[in-house]
Amino acid sequence: MNKRLSAQPTASIELLQSHSLPSLVQRHLENMILAGQLIPGSKLTEIPLAGQLGVSRGPVREAFRGLEEKGLVRVERNRGVFVRTITSAEADDIYEVRQAIEELIVRKLAAAPDRVMEAGLEEVLAKAGKFAEKGDFARCHALNIEFHDRLAALTGNAALLDHYRRLANELSLFRHRAHAKIRDASSLRASVADHRALLAAIAAGDRRLAVRLIREHLEASRARLQRLLADREDSPG
Amino acid sequence: MNKRLSAQPTASIELLQSHSLPSLVQRHLENMILAGQLIPGSKLTEIPLAGQLGVSRGPVREAFRGLEEKGLVRVERNRGVFVRTITSAEADDIYEVRQAIEELIVRKLAAAPDRVMEAGLEEVLAKAGKFAEKGDFARCHALNIEFHDRLAALTGNAALLDHYRRLANELSLFRHRAHAKIRDASSLRASVADHRALLAAIAAGDRRLAVRLIREHLEASRARLQRLLADREDSPG
DNA sequence: TGTTTGTAGATTGTCAACAATCTGTAACGG
DNA sequence: CCGTTACAGATTGTTGACAATCTACAAACA
């Protein structure tokens, strides 16, 4: 009963009434994985995990099942579950699908720019730009991810948002490998600039341009990441 | 210990060594749902289900978690799990995403038609055509679905296949509502014809045409399904 | 010395029992 | 007569215990 899921004991009661224990555990692990606090390939053992979270093994196992279906962990029978590792080839595959999805997102938004303008995305980009100037890698990166997520959400298509998020999560899993040591601030500024141009194109309702921009943005992002990773593997010091 | 997962007791042992009980239960339920034997909206109660399958409630609960993440069931805390019902609006959303995915599939295949030619897809279409003539709705429909699935698999992109299957499954969930009573044989023949034309375009490496064909095919399929469902709701006799 | 076998500990897979919650029904009061 | 409350049965949520499996280390043998 030492470390529980929530810091405030009173709030956790309310949470327990709406969300089941397994879903809380799942969200917790998901956050840990996506934040890079659980590195790909590392093993998740039930008993210590259950102890840490103050629950029994049942909910933990159920959370594992959900995470497996989300592609965040890999379950090996009688051996355990491991944070999923994504190879460069897999990342390329995922990027390819994501490109198709994001093109759809951008096409939809450019067709109805009104909502996008009211969503306060300029603010997100402005903050991201500030953090980039300050060299605050983590916060800027988080805002860049939020920008894409907000775009997906603005389409109003739940299935689209769902699939986008899964792809984005898997890629963030891959990204941790590259970012573990190297944090390229210039690439972040490039991303913010790309986002600005993209948002302008959407706001102008220029579908053609917006699609071209998102395509180039993702391709550049993909290439940058792959190169970064290749460099790391060459000199793993 | 009456009804177990497999008919052959010897084979089930081997299966149990590679696949865990939860994954077997999950696959079983998934098949039941996709086959339409479990109607959307119907409740899945743990105890009878566990009894039927000869397992305890634990594995069943774990299977539920996986199915929920796959979008096949909906879990309501302290109330139970239900086969997911998909509204017309949701189906439209899913179709929109699927269209983007299938366009990517077709684009990739048209860029490398060699593999597609060797996959024996003509055979699938030929069989589907025969069943359509005979009025064997179920078998023809299954082959039409297999055709799309094989196309997705032929891209060699696992992520792409994954996302395609999820979309296809959710739509098949929706389709059951429409097909429950009405089985339009003519639409099946139309689908087979569409598939033939699409395959020819891919084999010829005509990317433009292939993309146009798949787009029209899906749009026609979507409109047909929605109309069918609207008719049913008007005259629910 | 290198390989194999055996064993102890740890970990996962499964189960059955207990606690909490919900649903439907019947009694009660306005 | 209608709405509210109390209760019983059923169902879900959670847990701890037992069985099966794996892993790592050590002893025996070639």
Side-chain angles (χ1 to χ4, degrees):
Chain A
M1 266 239 213
N2 266 332
K3 298 174 186 174
R4 287 211 158 256
L5 284 174
S6 172
Q8 302 102 329
T10 56
S12 68
I13 296 173
E14 296 162 5
L15 279 176
L16 269 170
Q17 284 173 340
S18 56
H19 300 294
S20 70
L21 227 29
S23 72
L24 289 182
V25 173
Q26 179 171 339
R27 195 189 305 182
H28 178 82
L29 291 176
E30 192 173 330
N31 289 339
M32 297 274 288
I33 292 173
L34 294 180
Q37 296 173 25
L38 291 172
I39 41 184
S42 63
K43 187 178 177 183
L44 301 176
T45 27
E46 295 176 4
I47 298 175
L49 218 54
Q52 271 180 291
L53 300 173
V55 301
S56 92
R57 284 174 53 215
V60 173
R61 284 180 65 86
E62 289 187 34
F64 282 167
R65 285 281 155 191
L67 291 172
E68 181 187 24
E69 216 61 59
K70 271 196 168 182
L72 294 182
V73 304
R74 173 177 42 92
V75 177
E76 293 183 23
R77 179 178 161 83
N78 283 327
R79 299 214 37 226
V81 324
F82 307 83
V83 179
R84 179 169 169 202
T85 59
I86 291 183
T87 65
S88 295
E90 280 177 305
D92 274 343
D93 282 354
I94 297 168
Y95 255 112
E96 194 172 34
V97 181
R98 175 174 168 178
Q99 202 152 330
I101 293 291
E102 291 241 33
E103 281 187 31
L104 173 58
I105 292 171
V106 159
R107 236 179 357 244
K108 279 176 70 75
L109 294 183
D114 312 338
R115 280 192 183 169
V116 184
M117 312 259 290
E118 301 163 3
L121 284 174
E122 292 90 352
E123 222 173 299
V124 174
L125 289 183
K127 277 200 278 182
K130 274 191 183 175
F131 285 127
E133 300 290 331
K134 283 200 262 178
D136 190 336
F137 184 92
R139 267 186 249 267
C140 179
H141 185 62
L143 284 170
N144 277 342
I145 287 181
E146 185 185 335
F147 176 77
H148 280 276
D149 193 87
R150 293 270 285 272
L151 285 185
L154 276 172
T155 63
N157 182 331
L160 184 50
L161 178 57
D162 225 54
H163 283 266
Y164 165 77
R165 280 193 173 149
R166 168 152 186 187
L167 292 164
N169 285 346
E170 289 178 344
L171 283 178
S172 104
L173 209 53
F174 176 69
R175 207 173 285 125
H176 286 308
R177 263 175 55 194
H179 286 176
K181 290 196 171 178
I182 300 174
R183 318 203 136 192
D184 183 5
S186 73
S187 76
L188 278 186
R189 258 172 303 189
S191 269
V192 176
D194 283 2
H195 290 172
R196 266 196 240 275
L198 175 64
L199 186 56
I202 291 174
D206 190 338
R207 214 188 63 178
R208 264 281 174 50
L209 176 61
V211 167
R212 209 192 73 208
L213 287 176
I214 189 71
R215 196 177 298 168
E216 289 174 357
H217 172 59
L218 288 176
E219 175 53 26
S221 166
R222 187 195 67 77
R224 198 160 51 221
L225 203 56
Q226 292 285 9
R227 188 156 36 75
L228 212 62
L229 199 71
D231 290 348
R232 262 204 73 199
E233 281 168 356
D234 286 345
S235 58
Chain B
M1 268 237 212
N2 266 333
K3 298 175 186 176
R4 287 210 159 259
L5 285 173
S6 169
Q8 302 102 330
T10 56
S12 68
I13 295 174
E14 296 161 6
L15 278 176
L16 270 170
Q17 285 173 341
S18 55
H19 301 294
S20 69
L21 227 30
S23 71
L24 288 183
V25 174
Q26 180 171 339
R27 193 187 307 180
H28 178 83
L29 291 176
E30 191 173 330
N31 289 338
M32 297 274 288
I33 292 173
L34 294 180
Q37 296 174 24
L38 291 172
I39 309 164
S42 62
K43 186 177 178 184
L44 300 176
T45 19
E46 294 177 4
I47 298 175
L49 218 53
Q52 272 180 286
L53 301 173
V55 300
S56 92
R57 285 174 52 214
V60 173
R61 284 180 65 84
E62 290 187 32
F64 282 168
R65 283 283 156 188
L67 291 172
E68 181 187 25
E69 216 60 60
K70 270 196 168 180
L72 294 181
V73 304
R74 174 176 41 92
V75 177
E76 293 183 23
R77 180 181 160 83
N78 283 326
R79 299 212 40 224
V81 323
F82 306 83
V83 179
R84 180 168 168 203
T85 59
I86 291 182
T87 66
S88 295
E90 281 177 304
D92 274 344
D93 282 354
I94 297 168
Y95 256 110
E96 194 172 34
V97 181
R98 174 172 171 180
Q99 202 152 328
I101 293 292
E102 293 240 33
E103 281 187 30
L104 173 58
I105 292 171
V106 158
R107 237 180 355 245
K108 280 176 71 72
L109 294 182
D114 311 339
R115 279 192 183 168
V116 182
M117 311 260 290
E118 301 162 3
L121 284 174
E122 292 90 351
E123 221 172 299
V124 175
L125 289 182
K127 277 200 279 184
K130 273 191 184 176
F131 285 127
E133 299 291 331
K134 282 200 264 178
D136 191 335
F137 184 92
R139 269 186 247 269
C140 180
H141 184 61
L143 284 170
N144 278 342
I145 287 180
E146 186 185 334
F147 176 77
H148 280 277
D149 193 86
R150 294 271 284 273
L151 286 184
L154 276 171
T155 62
N157 182 330
L160 184 50
L161 178 58
D162 226 54
H163 284 267
Y164 165 75
R165 280 194 173 147
R166 169 152 184 188
L167 293 163
N169 284 348
E170 289 178 343
L171 282 178
S172 104
L173 210 54
F174 176 68
R175 206 173 285 126
H176 285 308
R177 263 176 54 193
H179 286 176
K181 288 196 173 179
I182 301 173
R183 319 200 136 194
D184 184 4
S186 73
S187 75
L188 278 186
R189 258 172 304 189
S191 270
V192 175
D194 283 2
H195 290 171
R196 266 195 239 275
L198 175 64
L199 186 57
I202 290 174
D206 191 340
R207 214 187 63 179
R208 264 277 173 53
L209 177 61
V211 167
R212 210 193 72 207
L213 287 177
I214 189 69
R215 195 177 299 167
E216 289 173 357
H217 172 58
L218 288 176
E219 175 52 27
S221 165
R222 187 194 66 78
R224 198 161 48 221
L225 203 56
Q226 293 284 9
R227 187 155 36 77
L228 213 61
L229 200 70
D231 290 349
R232 262 204 72 199
E233 281 167 356
D234 285 347
S235 58

